[in-house]
Each structure stands twice: as C-alpha cells, then as structure tokens.
Amino acid sequence: MIDLCLLGTGGMMPLPERWLSALLVRSQRDVVLVDCGEGTQVSWRYSNWNFRDVGTIALTHLHADHVAGIAGVLFMIAHSNRSEDLTIFGPPGTYQVVQALTIVVPRLPFTVRIVELEGGETHTLPDGLELSTLKVDHRIPCLAYRFTRHRAPKFDAERARALDIPITLWGTLQSGSSVDVDGQTFSPDQVLGPPRSGLSVGFVTDTRVTSDIPNFVRDAELLICEGTYGDPELRERAEKRGHMVFDQAATIAREANARRLILTHFSPAMLDPDNYLHHAQAIFRHSSIGQAHQTITLSFRDE
Amino acid sequence: MIDLCLLGTGGMMPLPERWLSALLVRSQRDVVLVDCGEGTQVSWRYSNWNFRDVGTIALTHLHADHVAGIAGVLFMIAHSNRSEDLTIFGPPGTYQVVQALTIVVPRLPFTVRIVELEGGETHTLPDGLELSTLKVDHRIPCLAYRFTRHRAPKFDAERARALDIPITLWGTLQSGSSVDVDGQTFSPDQVLGPPRSGLSVGFVTDTRVTSDIPNFVRDAELLICEGTYGDPELRERAEKRGHMVFDQAATIAREANARRLILTHFSPAMLDPDNYLHHAQAIFRHSSIGQAHQTITLSFRDE
C-alpha cells in the first residue's frame, strides 16, 4: 500500500490560496517528502502527517519554488524529536544549496545525508520502498521520481504443508531464502506463486515532454505530473520555459498506461485549472486537477 | 504620516492561521520591510502593498523565523519589475546569511546593498524616513528599530510676506537654508515657528527587557513589541529564551510614554493571545493584540 498527500499544487511562487507543489509518500515506515518550496511546513500542518516520520526528502531540482522551504521543514522535523538519520536526494548541486539554505538551522539533532543523483539510479529505502529517478528536461538539472512498493509472490500454504515444511520456516521461504529440513533443502520457488506486480507512483514536474518519461512511469497506479499551463495554445511558451501543458501530461499518462493522472504545478496566472481539465480528459479520461491536502491511498489490485 | 501593515504575529514557526511576525512601514516614498520569515511573501499578498516599492529590508536578527523568507521576497520584488537598488540592514552576520539564502535567486535585476549594524546607528532613507537601531538582548545579536518621520517647523507666511520675501524662495527657507533677496540675507528662523515633534514607531522583538529600550522608543506614537508569552508566570521561561511576557512589554510602553502598544511574536503554544491581553492593559491601557494584515496610519498630532 502507498499513501500520498499532495501538499500543494502551485508553481513559481506560493499564493494565499495555493501552496507550492510538494508531495508526501508513505509506504509502511518509509515516508518521503518530494520537493519543498517556501511554505511547505505550513501546508504540511493542514495534513495529519507527522514531521517525525520523514526519513527521505527527494528534490526534483534546485529552483526556489522546489527547495526554499527546506530549512523550515528540517527545523520542524527537529522539533518533532526525530533523532534518526535523514537522507536528501537531489540533482547535482543539492549539497551546496542545502548547505547554504540551512545556515539558519545550524544544529539538527539528526544526521542529514545528501545524495546527488544524475538520473537513472534506484535506491531502496529502509522499509523497502523503491525510489528511482529519471533525468528530465528543464532549464537546470531536474529529476523525475518513481516510487515502487514491490510485492512478494503469494505463499502457497497448501504446498508447504504437503512438503511437511514446519510453519516456523515459512517466513524465510516467503522472503526468498531456502531452508533445510532434516537434511532436505527447500527453495522458495517450491512454495511461492507466480510474480505479482507491485504498486507505483510517478512524480514528474518541471520538465518538457521527453521520450523517456512514458517508459519511466509505465503502468504506474498514479502519475502526478506537472501541467503548468492548461491552455493547449500555450504549448510553445511551456516548452520554452521547460514545462508542459495539460494535454501533454495526459498523453504521457496514456502512453505509459498509467491508471490515473493528477495534474499539478499550476502557473500563478492560471486561476482556475478546472477550466482546462477537459483538454487532459479528452486524451486520458482518468485525469484530475490536484487539490492541496488531497490524500490518496493506493492498494494492490486484488487486496 | 507613516503607514504600517503588520504582516504576521507569530514567533518560531509559521502556522496555518498565524504568519510570522513582520512589518511593512511606509512614509512618503520610503517603504521598509522589517523581518522576513518563511511565508512573508504569501502573507504580503493579502495586503495591497506593492512589492515594487520596498527599498529597504531591516532584519532584527538572523534566526530562521525572521529571515528565511528573504529569497522569496527578493524574488517577488524582482518580479514586480523593480530596478532601483535595495538596502538590507541587519546585525553582524547578515551578509553571510543573505548570501547563503539567496543562492536560489541568483539573478536579481537590482543591486542589493547589505549594511551590518551593531546598534546605535541612525540612517536616513532616501525620502527622509529615519531608521535608528538599538542593540537588544536575545540569544544572538539582535536589533530593535525605530522609524521616525521628522517634521519641519511651521512656515509663517505672514512674517515672510511682511519681510517681502518672494514666494518662490519660501520652500528654500522651509527646508532650512537661508536666502538672499537684493543683497539682504534671510535665515529660516526668521520665518519658521518652533520645532515640532515628529512621528515615530518602534519595533522591538526577540529580546529580554533591557534598560535602554524605553529611552529608545521614548514618546513613540506606536510601539510594536514582542510578547512571546502572555501568562506572567512564564516570565522566567521568557527571560531564559531571550523573550518577554505581555506585562513586561506593557511596562516598556508605559515607561517610554508611548501612545499605543501592539503586541506581536506570539509563541505557537499560545493559541489565543487575547486571553492574556488584560495583563498588558492593567499596566498600559492602550495595549492591543496584533492582527495579521492590520493596517495602521499614524498622523502628526495636529493634522
């Protein structure tokens, strides 16, 4: 299962009624904050997510509207009594920018590890959530993120019983290791069903359309994708500035065979993104406009 | 005349319903922002003050809740098409902190001049508003500010006419310079009335009570002063952390012979400062609780 909370949907600058685009992702005990513009700590307080739980911050890129709130968020995490390490992923330059911005929070009660990524990496977080990256195409280095909860094959209890494997060893087999019973070795494939698809969510913002994106978010249960402009006539402006219009995001969702698309990162000039939603829905029916503090729970298909 | 807009009233961290303490001050064409925590640019948008007009930012000290929003505010000022220089005043260390925080707004279309102050200085802004500072007593170097609009003595037109001074020279005399008329010199004191008191506002936050503060804000039309805690029983905690309780702020207002006191910089733990206002009013009747986006116009007494 993956829980999500969209903290905001704005691009460029925070507005009274529109927090900057940022996302909370939780799967088991892995909790990730994706992007962190000014005001993210305030928007966060409208949710019921605990600052303490965040072990990972993933930055798409180093423009102010995606990173300027990092000092405030680290300060809040510190005040929530977290003492465990925290990892910040981001594109090249992240170390320098985070070091600079956190000059006003000099003492944190936990270690911050900063990992700069080029795109193309996969990291597994402590509780198994997989984070992978793709280099996308903005005006400065920028990453798209995909979060995946893999799913173990189903354990066939009937076969395990038929093979006389003690129940205390089932967990070992389920986690993929062989076991010995009275000199006889049993391997996982003897008691596990076929592979099962996991669950994933893509977060793609501040990029032009690139040919890699659909593959990167292929079969995602949810794609959260920027639509800086709604009006398809602004495509040229969007491309010039390293962004997309709604129908381009919808085309990615369709090509990727995503199950659902949520649009985000709206230009301050677009007062009501709903007015343009039909441009996305004409291409990909399951498109919607992101709402601040919207929470989404993604479950495995047959649960 | 001095116009003010209180952008927020919170200390320590911005909250959904309480922006961080910051103040806009305007007198003629001098516009000053005092303090700039995270979210100041958002709170600012609830007012009708133009970002473009701000030529001075005055920082009390370099804790995150007073400075972390500086990149966002400079970004907004840049987007408002300001091209004139901007001056940032602050305590020692301001240069380093502002340089660090503005790493995410690398290109500004105006020159930013940073002036570090120890306290005790007086600067006159381009349109005549006087800014003076006092070193106060927090956990790190901190400044209180006083803004004064001085007032020229009244021009005595009758006397000027009696002396046969051409009307075209009245302005020169009024601004304090002598004039020559047909070889005869007239000095300002011949046509000006007695000195008139100016108009001033004090902004005092993040400090313990010090013996200098009442003198620094003497006879201020308005004192905006921190009251981090309302409950007088928290005085010891306040002093330990470099703050004040309401009745201490009220005592300063009374000793200073201020005309009016507005309390600000409330602890996040104090949900309703109004509950404690009577502690201030018992000492200084004209005390009130600061409200976000409250605007105040101070006028010369006999205008």
Side-chain angles (χ1 to χ4, degrees):
Chain A
M1 220 164 77
I2 300 179
D3 289 307
L4 304 159
C5 180
L6 202 58
L7 292 182
T9 59
M12 195 169 165
M13 58 190 73
L15 298 176
E17 304 298 331
R18 192 184 287 167
W19 301 100
L20 286 172
S21 174
L23 177 72
L24 287 166
V25 182
R26 175 171 54 210
S27 182
Q28 299 180 20
R29 281 165 302 175
D30 288 323
V31 180
V32 185
L33 168 66
V34 192
D35 278 347
C36 188
E38 182 174 355
T40 294
Q41 63 159 312
V42 188
S43 174
W44 191 319
R45 284 174 169 274
Y46 284 97
S47 80
N48 60 1
W49 292 51
N50 196 320
F51 285 98
R52 203 200 168 294
D53 299 335
V54 173
T56 306
I57 298 175
L59 302 172
T60 58
H61 64 300
L62 303 171
H63 275 155
D65 55 333
H66 295 258
V67 69
I70 194 105
V73 160
L74 291 174
F75 179 79
M76 286 312 306
I77 294 172
H79 270 264
S80 71
N81 290 321
R82 184 180 179 91
S83 56
E84 301 91 339
D85 292 3
L86 186 146
T87 302
I88 300 178
F89 293 103
T94 296
Y95 182 83
Q96 190 197 2
V97 167
V98 171
Q99 286 295 111
L101 294 178
T102 53
I103 191 171
V104 288
V105 283
R107 286 179 302 275
L108 292 171
F110 47 80
T111 301
V112 175
R113 192 172 64 112
I114 296 174
V115 181
E116 297 191 351
L117 304 173
E118 302 277 351
E121 298 90 346
T122 294
H123 284 262
T124 302
L125 304 186
D127 215 21
L129 184 68
E130 187 181 281
L131 170 158
S132 53
T133 59
L134 175 73
K135 182 178 177 177
V136 290
D137 181 22
H138 194 44
R139 306 191 304 271
I140 60 172
C142 187
L143 301 168
Y145 287 93
R146 178 180 178 130
F147 300 95
T148 303
R149 169 59 62 186
H150 290 289
R151 196 178 186 197
K154 206 166 183 179
F155 189 80
D156 189 337
E158 219 161 294
R159 287 178 65 190
R161 269 190 217 99
L163 293 166
D164 266 340
I165 302 171
I167 200 164
T168 52
L169 299 175
W170 290 12
T172 310
L173 285 161
Q174 194 162 18
S175 68
S177 302
S178 297
V179 296
D180 275 324
V181 180
D182 301 332
Q184 193 182 353
T185 300
F186 295 98
S187 61
D189 62 292
Q190 291 180 271
V191 290
L192 296 182
R196 292 190 290 185
S197 60
L199 197 58
S200 49
V201 54
F203 188 83
V204 178
T205 193
D206 289 60
T207 177
R208 301 172 181 97
V209 175
T210 76
S211 59
D212 298 334
I213 298 175
N215 258 331
F216 178 67
V217 294
R218 179 142 322 276
D219 297 328
E221 191 69 14
L222 171 64
L223 170 61
I224 299 173
C225 187
E226 79 138 281
T228 299
Y229 306 102
D231 184 346
E233 304 219 333
L234 296 179
R235 182 186 285 215
E236 199 179 328
R237 180 188 301 178
E239 278 171 5
K240 191 173 159 204
R241 299 184 182 178
H243 289 296
M244 294 184 210
V245 293
F246 282 10
D247 58 5
Q248 292 176 299
T251 302
I252 290 172
R254 188 179 64 189
E255 286 181 14
N257 189 38
R259 195 165 167 107
R260 187 173 162 193
L261 168 68
I262 292 180
L263 293 157
T264 189
H265 199 271
F266 308 126
S267 161
M270 181 163 57
L271 298 183
D272 191 352
D274 278 307
N275 291 343
Y276 303 94
L277 178 59
H278 66 278
H279 293 294
Q281 288 179 332
I283 289 165
F284 183 75
R285 192 157 62 89
H286 301 290
S287 302
S288 62
I289 298 297
Q291 308 293 335
H293 314 118
Q294 177 177 8
T295 58
I296 305 124
T297 295
L298 306 178
S299 301
F300 292 119
R301 294 286 168 101
D302 56 357
E303 272 180 349
Chain B
M1 219 165 74
I2 299 180
D3 289 307
L4 304 159
C5 180
L6 202 58
L7 292 182
T9 60
M12 196 170 163
M13 58 191 73
L15 298 175
E17 303 299 329
R18 193 184 288 167
W19 300 99
L20 287 172
S21 174
L23 176 72
L24 287 167
V25 181
R26 176 172 52 210
S27 182
Q28 297 181 23
R29 279 164 303 175
D30 288 323
V31 180
V32 185
L33 168 67
V34 192
D35 278 347
C36 188
E38 182 174 356
T40 294
Q41 64 160 307
V42 188
S43 174
W44 190 321
R45 284 173 169 275
Y46 284 97
S47 79
N48 60 2
W49 292 52
N50 197 320
F51 286 98
R52 203 199 168 295
D53 299 335
V54 173
T56 306
I57 297 176
L59 303 173
T60 58
H61 64 300
L62 303 171
H63 275 155
D65 55 334
H66 294 258
V67 66
I70 194 105
V73 161
L74 291 175
F75 179 78
M76 286 312 306
I77 294 173
H79 269 263
S80 71
N81 290 321
R82 184 181 179 90
S83 58
E84 301 89 342
D85 291 3
L86 185 145
T87 301
I88 299 178
F89 293 104
T94 297
Y95 182 83
Q96 189 196 4
V97 168
V98 170
Q99 285 294 109
L101 295 177
T102 52
I103 190 170
V104 288
V105 281
R107 284 180 302 277
L108 292 171
F110 46 82
T111 300
V112 175
R113 190 172 66 113
I114 296 175
V115 181
E116 298 191 353
L117 304 172
E118 302 277 351
E121 298 88 347
T122 293
H123 283 263
T124 302
L125 305 186
D127 214 20
L129 183 68
E130 187 182 278
L131 169 158
S132 54
T133 59
L134 175 73
K135 183 179 177 176
V136 289
D137 182 22
H138 194 44
R139 308 191 304 272
I140 60 172
C142 187
L143 301 168
Y145 287 93
R146 177 179 178 131
F147 300 94
T148 302
R149 168 58 63 188
H150 290 290
R151 195 178 187 197
K154 205 164 180 177
F155 189 82
D156 189 334
E158 220 161 293
R159 287 179 64 191
R161 268 191 217 100
L163 293 166
D164 266 341
I165 302 172
I167 201 164
T168 52
L169 298 175
W170 290 11
T172 308
L173 284 162
Q174 193 160 20
S175 68
S177 303
S178 297
V179 296
D180 276 324
V181 180
D182 301 331
Q184 191 180 357
T185 299
F186 295 98
S187 61
D189 61 292
Q190 292 179 268
V191 290
L192 296 182
R196 293 189 291 183
S197 60
L199 197 59
S200 50
V201 54
F203 188 83
V204 178
T205 194
D206 290 60
T207 178
R208 300 172 182 97
V209 174
T210 74
S211 59
D212 298 335
I213 298 174
N215 258 332
F216 179 66
V217 294
R218 180 141 322 275
D219 297 327
E221 190 69 15
L222 171 64
L223 169 61
I224 299 173
C225 187
E226 81 136 282
T228 300
Y229 306 102
D231 184 347
E233 304 220 333
L234 296 180
R235 183 187 283 215
E236 200 178 326
R237 179 187 302 176
E239 277 171 7
K240 192 173 158 205
R241 299 185 183 177
H243 289 296
M244 294 183 210
V245 292
F246 281 10
D247 57 6
Q248 292 177 299
T251 302
I252 290 172
R254 189 180 62 188
E255 288 181 14
N257 188 39
R259 195 164 166 108
R260 186 174 165 194
L261 168 68
I262 291 180
L263 293 158
T264 189
H265 199 270
F266 308 126
S267 160
M270 180 163 58
L271 298 182
D272 191 352
D274 278 307
N275 292 343
Y276 302 95
L277 178 58
H278 65 279
H279 293 294
Q281 287 179 334
I283 289 165
F284 183 75
R285 191 157 63 88
H286 301 291
S287 302
S288 62
I289 299 296
Q291 308 293 335
H293 313 119
Q294 177 178 5
T295 57
I296 304 125
T297 295
L298 306 178
S299 301
F300 293 119
R301 294 286 169 99
D302 55 357
E303 271 181 349

